[in-house]
Amino acid sequence: MVRFRPLDAWDDPRGGQIERIIIDNGILAMEVLSLGGIIRSLWVPDNKGERGNVVLGCDSAQDYLTQQAHLGAIAGRYANRIAGACLNRDGQQFTLDNNHQANCLHGGREGFNRKQWHIGQLNDGVRLSLFSPDGDMGFPGNANIQLDYRLVGNNLYVEILASTDAPCPISLTQHSYFNLDGASEASSLGHLIQSDCQDYLSTDEQGIPTQVSQVADTPLGLRQGKSLDSLKAALANSPTQGIDHCYLMPSHDGKALSRFGAISAPNSGRRLTLYTNQPGVQVYGSNFLEGTIGKQGQALESYQAVCIEPQQLPDAPNQPDLPGTPWLMPGEVYHHMSRYQFDLLK
């Protein structure tokens, strides 16, 4: 049985109010905001049977609107980077919002993370919906988005549907920052990450893909598992200053859920395993998080948490040779499904 508890709304400094609701199935619990589809808190049991919050968040609407880290939010219309903040299709050029190193990152400076979503209840979770008009941050077409968060046993399901009335690239991802030892812990560098993915995207210094590369014989091979600390050390002299790379899912068909891998925290015993139908997963070690204001007004630290972001591939709308289906056409339905399974290390 899933229990729902509405919380006092926050005033949105731009006008209106931001709804807040807690969902609890007895194993997992989460707080969801109508602002940005944000997961503000996610409570998960540890190896002592005690539930604790494992995602970073803020204490006010103003703090969420001030930060640029996309804490817990839905990133879109197009997650990750589009080179030159520009799209070209069928002889038309679309200029997008340029908000990061001459590129469009996570849909622009007024992306879905800053929008006010409509929120309602499901039997086992909540459904949020959003209308994004033609020209929103430069993207073509009117888009309708539906987002479901559902708690089933020890799983969080994230399902996103979208439609558009003009060809438009769509890629939406859940951008939570996980610290499985607890969101108040100052570092996630002791976490372990494992993945069977064999390929990743090599990028230029701005994070724009240049080619598909194999992880073999690179620090990015995760089949045997590695600590985030070791990845930070191995990549310290790279522009990313740690892991911030997109892995390609093997045997991707856009329908079936496939296992990406797992993140675990030996201290708390918590393990998060991700399954998704998306062609790529960006892993980001919060390498540049320092100074972002979190809960209780505390400044967050770099490497305090890790993001695992299922998505279409960065700049794929401009690079048709990359895997995936980044362009959504009228009459089609975009479908993102991811399952976040929480259990304990044996």
Side-chain angles (χ1 to χ4, degrees):
M1 178 180 175
V2 176
R3 297 184 298 275
F4 299 88
R5 181 160 63 94
L7 301 176
D8 291 340
W10 285 346
D11 290 330
D12 187 332
R14 305 167 300 178
Q17 289 194 314
I18 293 166
E19 295 180 74
R20 306 160 58 209
I21 188 168
I22 287 180
I23 314 152
D24 189 340
N25 74 347
I27 301 172
L28 307 177
M30 62 191 297
E31 179 185 344
V32 178
L33 308 182
S34 60
L35 171 65
I38 288 169
I39 298 175
R40 180 173 177 253
S41 299
L42 177 60
W43 294 276
V44 177
D46 64 10
N47 52 15
K48 298 177 181 177
E50 299 176 357
R51 291 201 297 190
N53 175 38
V54 298
V55 296
L56 305 186
C58 300
D59 277 340
S60 71
Q62 186 61 64
D63 285 348
Y64 272 113
L65 292 169
T66 299
Q67 56 87 29
Q68 300 181 22
H70 294 77
L71 293 175
I74 295 296
R77 274 191 204 193
Y78 202 89
N80 217 314
R81 295 155 179 83
I82 294 180
C86 185
L87 297 169
N88 291 280
R89 186 178 179 90
D90 299 331
Q92 284 187 288
Q93 182 171 341
F94 301 94
T95 300
L96 308 179
D97 185 61
N98 174 345
N99 66 327
H100 189 266
Q101 297 176 324
N103 307 307
C104 183
L105 175 67
H106 293 329
R109 71 195 70 195
E110 291 291 335
F112 289 0
N113 62 303
R114 294 173 60 86
K115 306 292 190 188
Q116 181 66 272
W117 297 59
H118 178 269
I119 188 168
Q121 289 186 17
L122 302 171
N123 289 335
D124 53 3
V126 291
R127 172 166 293 171
L128 298 101
S129 57
L130 177 70
F131 173 72
S132 175
D134 179 39
D136 191 4
M137 295 291 99
F139 286 92
N142 296 293
N144 287 285
I145 317 297
Q146 176 180 292
L147 162 67
D148 290 354
Y149 292 133
R150 298 167 46 236
L151 297 181
V152 181
N154 61 332
N155 299 278
L156 164 63
Y157 283 88
V158 177
E159 183 171 18
I160 314 173
L161 304 177
S163 62
T164 179
D165 60 4
C168 181
I170 300 279
S171 177
L172 308 175
T173 194
Q174 221 301 322
H175 205 290
S176 282
Y177 287 72
F178 293 96
N179 187 315
L180 298 180
D181 282 328
S184 61
E185 295 295 320
S187 174
S188 63
L189 291 175
H191 286 31
L192 305 176
I193 182 169
Q194 186 279 331
S195 175
D196 291 334
C197 291
Q198 300 177 19
D199 299 303
Y200 75 101
L201 292 179
S202 295
T203 67
D204 65 15
E205 290 189 354
Q206 294 187 359
I208 304 301
T210 55
Q211 67 180 32
V212 175
S213 302
Q214 294 186 341
V215 300
D217 301 320
T218 78
L220 297 172
L222 303 176
R223 182 181 295 270
Q224 301 303 317
K226 290 181 178 177
S227 71
L228 293 176
D229 192 32
S230 68
L231 287 169
K232 176 193 173 189
L235 299 166
N237 295 323
S238 69
T240 58
Q241 298 179 32
I243 191 165
D244 188 10
H245 296 76
C246 189
Y247 287 83
L248 274 59
M249 293 291 293
S251 62
H252 164 73
D253 66 4
K255 298 178 182 177
L257 295 186
S258 299
R259 182 184 182 276
F260 161 72
I263 295 171
S264 59
N267 287 340
S268 68
R270 295 185 181 103
R271 176 171 55 195
L272 163 57
T273 305
L274 173 67
Y275 301 83
T276 186
N277 70 347
Q278 295 299 286
V281 175
Q282 185 87 11
V283 180
Y284 173 51
S286 63
N287 313 335
F288 302 100
L289 187 62
E290 183 178 0
T292 299
I293 299 302
K295 290 184 177 179
Q296 298 178 330
Q298 297 297 308
L300 301 174
E301 301 288 342
S302 294
Y303 312 105
Q304 186 168 342
V306 59
C307 305
I308 46 174
E309 310 163 34
Q311 59 189 245
Q312 296 288 326
L313 304 187
D315 202 39
N318 292 321
Q319 300 192 38
D321 290 339
L322 290 177
T325 52
W327 284 91
L328 184 67
M329 306 301 290
E332 297 178 343
V333 176
Y334 166 91
H335 184 214
H336 172 144
M337 173 70 88
S338 294
R339 176 166 70 93
Y340 301 75
Q341 175 184 295
F342 295 91
D343 60 8
L344 297 174
L345 294 169
K346 300 294 189 279

